[in-house]
Amino acid sequence: MPPFARPDPLPPHLRELNEALHELHRLAGRPSARRVAGHINAGAFRTTATHEWVRRAFAKPLLPNWDLLEALVTVLSPPAGLDTALQVERFRVLRLAAERLADAPAPDRGGSAGARAPRTAGTGSESPVMAYPRSADPVRARPPLTSSSDGGDFAFSFTAAFTQQLGARLAESSPQPLDEGNLDRLQPRPGIYELFHRGQLVYIGKAERTLPANLGRALRKISGRRGLDPRDVSFTHLYVSEDLTAIAPEALLMKRQHVVPPWNRNGFGNSDPGRGRDASPVAEGHFDMQHPVDLYLPVRELTGERSIREAAAVLKQSLPYSFRYHGAMKDEEAVVLDFGGIPPTVDSALALLVKGLGVGWQATALPGHVIAYQEDRHYPSALRTYRNSVVQGFVVHDR
């Protein structure tokens, strides 16, 4: 598909937001407006969309309504290979900046000081999800500078100053190993952090509540992946007051550095996508495909005789990645499995679990998590499938 049209003219306060939106559309493969609208209408968003509304968000010199913009970014980020939550935060900051620039009072040119245009929503031929362009407001019209006696305009960029100071302070920090000892010494405060793999910056994250919790989840995730050794990962951090986390400092840092670290691009920060997304193919460049779950980790908490219910609960609690299973497994008290005296691997524990559950059960190791349900189903990105069927009995299939 060709790119969407761009606003002509493009008001200055919309430039950064509009350019970022067009770039996201390009990275996503330039899907059609109808296709994007279809995804929005099929999703759990606070708005619906027509293809015309989608086009106008890209092509009109208007400030998009946040509900529509959030939906657009959420739909376009996965095919663009970008972290959805991070991009939503980034565009929220860009829209807020555009709105503040538009609302800045014009200098007094003989009329009333600080006059503003009414905040009117679009009507008639305009989409109800847009606001009128600020540059069209006659109250804001500024005559050209005609003499040196006119001092011109001054605009202070809070985000630029904040980002510069934040980047400078982080640069002063020396990376330290990402281990339990260092995490225990952190204060339970909001902040921002950087992850380094073998000295290379790979992720910039934000902790809205406490840094130890976010970094602890990162350490746990890394410890359960193939091709990653937690000893190769280090971090830097800064505590940031709670009100400043709302401006997405991690997105501002990436903009300042003109680079998006690889783990921010490929979904490192994503959590369990939920049952509805299990069958969605995982892109080859995704973090979960580059570093899939390790099925040969020993489950040290799982030895001796355990009921199926107990075994499932132990796996869910102890694995460094998500193990999600059908609720019927919680009632399996009668069948007892013997895991022996040596801790089993995740692989052997899943095999024994499916055998004990009987015909009709299947466990599937997906790139980023493990599931077990009563089903006979093929998953496009499955690494290994443990199936107990009427025809074949217990079998294991590899990708």
Side-chain angles (χ1 to χ4, degrees):
M1 286 290 297
F4 290 132
R6 294 176 182 268
D8 185 21
L10 177 59
H13 68 279
L14 291 179
R15 182 170 294 114
E16 192 169 2
L17 173 64
N18 189 263
E19 288 177 353
L21 192 57
H22 278 274
E23 177 64 9
L24 179 62
H25 182 242
R26 183 189 69 81
L27 292 173
R30 295 196 177 111
S32 69
R34 291 186 184 277
R35 183 176 178 186
V36 173
H39 283 297
I40 291 175
N41 294 332
F45 296 108
R46 291 188 294 267
T47 186
T48 56
T50 67
H51 64 281
E52 281 301 320
W53 290 4
V54 171
R55 285 199 184 94
R56 286 175 180 174
F58 288 87
K60 292 289 185 180
L62 307 169
L63 187 65
N65 171 275
W66 170 243
D67 287 349
L68 176 63
L69 184 59
E70 181 184 31
L72 286 171
V73 174
T74 302
V75 165
L76 293 174
S77 293
L82 300 174
D83 183 282
T84 302
L86 182 62
Q87 293 304 309
V88 168
E89 280 294 309
R90 175 192 175 209
F91 275 87
R92 188 178 65 80
V93 171
L94 288 173
R95 189 188 183 281
L96 182 61
E99 190 171 27
R100 286 174 176 171
L101 284 173
D103 280 339
D108 185 8
R109 306 296 187 191
S112 59
R116 294 187 178 186
R119 298 173 61 85
T120 310
T123 56
S125 61
E126 298 297 339
S127 161
V129 294
M130 301 292 176
Y132 282 128
R134 303 294 185 181
S135 58
D137 177 12
V139 178
R140 297 177 185 275
R142 301 181 181 184
L145 302 180
T146 55
S147 71
S148 59
S149 63
D150 191 325
D153 299 331
F154 170 76
F156 175 74
S157 174
F158 166 78
T159 56
F162 173 76
T163 307
Q164 183 177 8
Q165 293 184 38
L166 184 66
R169 285 294 306 277
L170 270 175
E172 296 171 359
S173 305
S174 298
Q176 51 189 317
L178 184 65
D179 57 36
E180 296 289 351
N182 284 322
L183 296 189
D184 288 342
R185 286 188 280 272
L186 295 178
Q187 301 175 34
R189 294 170 52 192
I192 187 169
Y193 59 95
E194 298 174 317
L195 296 181
F196 298 84
H197 181 240
R198 297 177 180 174
Q200 177 191 358
L201 176 64
V202 291
Y203 189 76
I204 301 176
K206 174 183 67 176
E208 294 186 351
R209 295 185 178 180
T210 70
L211 276 166
N214 284 55
L215 285 166
R217 285 193 292 271
L219 174 60
R220 182 177 175 85
K221 185 168 191 172
I222 291 167
S223 67
R225 300 306 180 111
R226 298 196 328 239
L228 277 180
D229 187 334
R231 293 172 295 184
D232 292 333
V233 181
S234 56
F235 74 99
T236 60
H237 73 284
L238 282 178
Y239 301 109
V240 178
S241 61
E242 190 170 353
D243 57 335
L244 291 179
T245 62
I247 68 171
E250 73 285 12
L252 295 175
L253 278 175
M254 282 181 258
K255 179 181 175 184
R256 177 177 183 265
Q257 297 172 1
H258 302 291
V259 63
V260 178
W263 290 4
N264 286 103
R265 291 196 307 267
N266 66 13
F268 169 76
N270 293 354
S271 55
D272 185 346
R275 182 62 172 153
R277 299 286 297 276
D278 286 339
S280 299
V282 181
E284 289 298 324
H286 196 280
F287 178 86
D288 291 341
M289 290 298 285
Q290 294 179 349
H291 302 288
V293 296
D294 189 350
L295 296 176
Y296 298 98
L297 294 172
V299 188
R300 305 188 187 283
E301 300 83 356
L302 196 58
T303 55
E305 293 187 348
R306 301 291 188 105
S307 70
I308 288 180
R309 176 181 178 177
E310 289 177 321
V314 169
L315 284 171
K316 186 175 184 66
Q317 183 175 5
S318 61
L319 292 186
Y321 42 81
S322 173
F323 174 48
R324 179 165 27 86
Y325 52 88
H326 195 282
M329 201 181 299
K330 297 178 182 179
D331 300 326
E332 292 287 346
E333 289 277 11
V335 180
V336 176
L337 306 175
D338 187 359
F339 291 93
I342 300 176
T345 63
V346 180
D347 176 68
S348 58
L350 289 173
L352 189 58
L353 194 66
V354 173
K355 288 178 183 177
L357 284 165
V359 172
W361 280 86
Q362 173 181 318
T364 308
L366 297 163
H369 59 290
V370 177
I371 58 175
Y373 288 92
Q374 290 176 301
E375 62 183 358
D376 186 346
R377 184 176 182 183
H378 169 71
Y379 291 90
S381 296
L383 305 176
R384 173 166 283 195
T385 302
Y386 311 79
R387 184 178 292 127
N388 206 333
S389 67
V390 176
V391 177
Q392 295 179 295
F394 176 77
V395 293
V396 177
H397 295 291
D398 287 323
R399 185 183 181 189

